[in-house]
Amino acid sequence: MNPHDLLHHPDDKPRFDYQARPDFKSRSDFKRCTDFKRCTNVKTLPAFKSSRLKLTWYAKTLFATAGLLLMLPLTLPLSAAESIWYRAGDPLNTHIDKLPKVPADYLPPDVLCAPVSAEQALTLADVANASLCNNPQTRELWSSVRVQAAQLGVAKSAYLPSLTDNVSTGFGYASPESGTRSNPTLNLSNSLVASYLLYDFGNRNATLENARQLLLSASASQSSTVQSLLLTSSVAFYQVQANMAALAAAREAERASEESYKAADARYKAGVATPADKLQAQTAYAQLTLARITSEGNLQNAYGSLANVMGLPANQKVTLASSLVNAPQNILEDINSLIDQAVVRRPDLIASEAQLKAAQASIDASKAAAKPTISVAVSNGLQDGSQLDFSKNSTLGLTVSIPLFNGYAPSYRIRAAEATADLRAAQRDRLKLQISLDVWTAYQNLRTALQSVTATEALMSSAEQSYRVALGRYKAGVGNIIDTLNAQSALATARQQQIQATLNANIARATLAQAMGALDNAMIQSLPSTSMTQLTQ
């Protein structure tokens, strides 16, 4: 149907009955009638009714058309993969749909993110994998990287032309009525415009480079946070193991104290010990019972923290596997080489370098934005209506946009970009210094922890022998209860120190790997899963 046909109602009739008066031969004669009495015989009532019907039909047509245009977006699903306004997929090859939730170096490709079973005995590697699969932090990081990948697509789209179709319609009612157009009037126009930016002094290139560097920074930040999550899960795993060993040691100390109390009570009943001996042994036994209860509570808290790191409810049961792997003693290397490796491998430093390059690209973009641009445009227009004659035109034009004065805003945008680049450079240098301190501190903590493990082994050996001798002397009647209780307390302290030293050694090794930027899946596999049996032997 021709759009012009819509401008005329099919049931339109003459508004005035000019044949009612023989002296009025046409509409113009009627309009020249100035004497009211001469015009009284004109049949105006049917004409007026037809005019109102015509006006009502035009209004309904206009409102129905506008309603359809407004309702069209609402008829599309909000989560549509594709529509006439946007495309699905990745047409500009930003790899946004291929970005992994967890980088391949941290989660083995053969690992399936299945729910954690309460009956499964988990190793350190299992805990780390479950944390990467279930912890919401990994999804947050993945979303952040995809945001930057989408921004890269926005920057790439500036190299493509734009195509816009402008459709407009208007409804009017003239008073007095035009001699050539009858009331009401309805006009329709359509303009199809295609434009392309030819040259902009490198603004698009700088914006694209900025987007690329920010995407690289987001990816490196993802690796950095994943390593922090691995360290947190490792610490939580070792805390559970340490609390299990501490509870076993507390139970052993409580058993030994109970044996001392029974010996004191037997000697008291035999009449060879004073009531003070029995009361002192009973007091020590009660104190160690309280320590055992505290250790049980600490273990449950450690289980809750471990489940939380794994992305599970704190009340979900978690079972850890026992392992007899001993921490190697010859893992220390030259500290200078470790710091050099950290400067190259730390993902947060890589992210900081990328942010600096992105800021430098922003300087170039700000400078280019203050310069002229050259664009080409092609348009094709159409106009028709009851007020306008039908017309059609096509144009091809070249546009040069020259910014002359913008209130010094471009100058300050450039200065802001330069200051931002200086800020990013200072942050990078500060991070370099912090990396060297992190590696140095972790190295010294690991060195101290390994030496402490060796020292506590000798301490445990002597404390056990001292306790056995003191208890034997007391049972034989040649020793006193004070020596027995002191030896018993020294043994319990030695056990706790050995547990803490082993815990510190394991955490320090994982911390050193994270400080070097090397805490990945391979490192997790090599870390020891110290069992309760190891720590209490």
Side-chain angles (χ1 to χ4, degrees), residues 36-50:
F36 178 77
K37 294 181 179 180
R38 293 177 56 197
C39 300
T40 54
N41 293 330
V42 179
K43 299 178 181 179
T44 58
L45 183 59
F48 178 70
K49 182 178 180 181
S50 176

Side-chain angles (χ1 to χ4, degrees), residues 118-187:
E119 305 301 328
Q120 179 185 0
L122 303 176
T123 63
L124 176 58
D126 295 332
V127 169
N129 294 338
S131 299
L132 296 181
C133 288
N134 302 323
N135 197 295
Q137 265 190 296
T138 57
R139 296 197 301 272
E140 293 178 11
L141 297 168
W142 181 52
S143 300
S144 298
V145 175
R146 289 188 295 128
V147 167
Q148 293 302 328
Q151 293 299 325
L152 177 61
V154 173
K156 286 185 174 183
S157 66
Y159 290 87
L160 300 178
S162 62
L163 181 64
T164 305
D165 189 19
N166 300 311
V167 181
S168 63
T169 183
F171 175 78
Y173 194 90
S175 178
E177 187 179 38
S178 171
T180 59
R181 299 290 180 182
S182 60
N183 284 326
T185 60
L186 184 65
N187 304 315

Side-chain angles (χ1 to χ4, degrees), residues 415-452:
R415 291 187 179 183
E418 292 173 344
T420 301
D422 293 339
L423 173 63
R424 297 289 182 257
Q427 290 175 340
R428 178 205 56 189
D429 296 339
R430 177 175 58 84
L431 183 57
K432 284 184 178 180
L433 293 175
Q434 184 63 43
I435 288 174
S436 64
L437 178 61
D438 291 344
V439 175
W440 174 265
T441 303
Y443 178 88
Q444 298 301 331
N445 289 340
L446 178 57
R447 181 179 179 181
T448 301
L450 292 177
Q451 293 176 352
S452 298

Side-chain angles (χ1 to χ4, degrees), residues 250-251 253-262 277-295 485 488:
R251 288 172 175 169
E254 183 183 20
R255 185 200 61 77
S257 180
E258 182 182 14
E259 184 179 359
S260 299
Y261 168 69
K262 290 180 179 179
D277 290 351
K278 176 183 176 181
L279 292 175
Q280 288 179 348
Q282 187 176 10
T283 301
Y285 177 51
Q287 289 176 341
L288 291 175
T289 300
L290 179 61
R292 187 258 305 164
I293 295 174
T294 302
S295 296
L485 295 179
Q488 176 184 295

Side-chain angles (χ1 to χ4, degrees), residues 119-354:
E119 305 301 328
Q120 179 185 0
L122 303 176
T123 63
L124 176 58
D126 295 332
V127 169
N129 294 338
S131 299
L132 296 181
C133 288
N134 302 323
N135 197 295
Q137 265 190 296
T138 57
R139 296 197 301 272
E140 293 178 11
L141 297 168
W142 181 52
S143 300
S144 298
V145 175
R146 289 188 295 128
V147 167
Q148 293 302 328
Q151 293 299 325
L152 177 61
V154 173
K156 286 185 174 183
S157 66
Y159 290 87
L160 300 178
S162 62
L163 181 64
T164 305
D165 189 19
N166 300 311
V167 181
S168 63
T169 183
F171 175 78
Y173 194 90
S175 178
E177 187 179 38
S178 171
T180 59
R181 299 290 180 182
S182 60
N183 284 326
T185 60
L186 184 65
N187 304 315
L188 178 66
S189 65
N190 181 70
S191 177
L192 187 64
V193 181
S195 61
Y196 179 70
L197 180 63
L198 295 177
Y199 187 69
D200 62 352
F201 287 91
N203 190 7
R204 288 180 298 185
N205 295 339
T207 303
L208 180 60
E209 179 63 19
N210 176 269
R212 284 174 175 167
Q213 294 299 329
L214 290 179
L215 176 58
L216 175 60
S217 176
S219 300
S221 298
Q222 181 186 24
S223 298
S224 178
T225 308
V226 165
Q227 289 198 24
S228 298
L229 182 59
L230 288 176
L231 177 61
T232 303
S233 61
S234 300
V235 171
F237 176 86
Y238 288 133
Q239 286 287 359
V240 171
Q241 292 279 19
N243 279 279
M244 290 171 62
L247 177 59
R251 288 172 175 169
E252 178 63 24
E254 183 183 20
R255 185 200 61 77
S257 180
E258 182 182 14
E259 184 179 359
S260 299
Y261 168 69
K262 290 180 179 179
D265 184 58
R267 293 192 63 188
Y268 171 73
K269 291 179 179 180
V272 294
T274 63
D277 290 351
K278 176 183 176 181
L279 292 175
Q280 288 179 348
Q282 187 176 10
T283 301
Y285 177 51
Q287 289 176 341
L288 291 175
T289 300
L290 179 61
R292 187 258 305 164
I293 295 174
T294 302
S295 296
E296 290 176 347
N298 293 337
L299 177 59
Q300 295 304 316
N301 291 334
Y303 270 122
S305 299
L306 178 61
N308 181 265
V309 172
M310 295 170 61
L312 305 175
N315 61 342
Q316 179 164 338
K317 181 181 177 181
V318 177
T319 305
L320 300 186
S322 297
S323 174
L324 296 178
V325 178
N326 292 317
Q329 302 296 314
N330 56 346
I331 61 176
L332 293 179
E333 301 178 13
D334 179 61
I335 182 61
N336 296 323
S337 64
L338 295 180
I339 293 177
D340 293 339
Q341 294 178 37
V343 171
V344 175
R345 302 184 61 172
R346 277 281 289 261
D348 51 349
L349 183 59
I350 296 175
S352 183
E353 291 281 2

